[in-house]
Amino acid sequence: MVVASGVRIGWADVPEHVQARVESILGDRVVSAYSQRGGFSPGTADRVRTASGGRAFVKAVSPAQNERSVQLLRREALVAGALPAGIPAPRLLGWHDDGEWVALVLQDVEGRHPVTPWTAAELDAVLGTLRMLADGTTPCPMPELPTAAVSLGKDLSGWERLAADRPDDLDPWAAARLPELVALGAAGVAALAGDTVAHTDLRADNLLVGPDGAVTVVDWPWACVGPAWLDTAMLMVNVNLFGGHDVDALLTAYAVPLGADPAEVTALLAGMTGYFLDACRQPPPPGLPTVRAFQRAQGEATLRWLRTRLSS
């Protein structure tokens, strides 16, 4: 399995003036930093400790690593600072933006990523957390968020781009059904209406399971407003990728009670499949050498699942 990971810089690579600003936010001197693995960012992802024993999680990046990562960190700062109390997400302690370097200082949440392939107990805990998250953010308390249709619309139109520039290695089943898949992708965008905060980038590496089993959702730059079932359905792409679970049964048990219509879920999965198979054709972004291989693996796994759903 391809690992979701960027080539990270560390705390020692952050300029002194940015380190000083982080220490000012913390009110103490950083004495140790431990880089965290996983996630698609070439910036820092460090658990830091201060001289008095304080803890925080620091993310920092500049255009020298990846310009898009800078934009996403700015967006994450705005989202993290606006998330209402009670949401299972790290609290934003402060952030720095000097026009080049952006640094986020977040609450350090004790925990680890769920085990993959997913275990039944951890998956049940995560899905329960997503249900509580949907209940707690409907109606959406963050009017500044974009709609899911606006945020995801271009991505979910990947089949249109694949049809216009068909790759030689496109799966024969998909190639024979391109008009149907293009239409399904459009239907997937149309299904995104709703009034619930959605994370929309849920994978095992964006979740933490604490010692008490409590689940925290991290990395929020893609938050938007959509249907209550959206995050549950999108998580199933990651579960399906690693195997070992009946993802259709899980959708029935967890997404349908949140208002999901099976046909709309199928359309969303079609759109996500088109996105992965289109995006993986592009050159890897700076500092993210594995992202295209990971997208291809997701696309191929989701295509197999989509084919089953459309044949049933």
Side-chain angles (χ1 to χ4, degrees), residues 57-80:
F57 188 76
V58 177
K59 302 166 74 169
V61 72
S62 77
Q65 290 78 54
N66 185 291
E67 176 62 42
R68 182 60 172 152
S69 294
V70 173
Q71 298 168 4
L72 290 176
L73 210 55
R74 288 189 175 118
R75 182 171 173 181
E76 183 178 356
L78 297 177
V79 173

Side-chain angles (χ1 to χ4, degrees), residues 42-55:
T44 65
D46 288 313
R47 279 183 157 138
V48 303
R49 289 189 178 273
T50 66
S52 61
R55 294 166 44 192

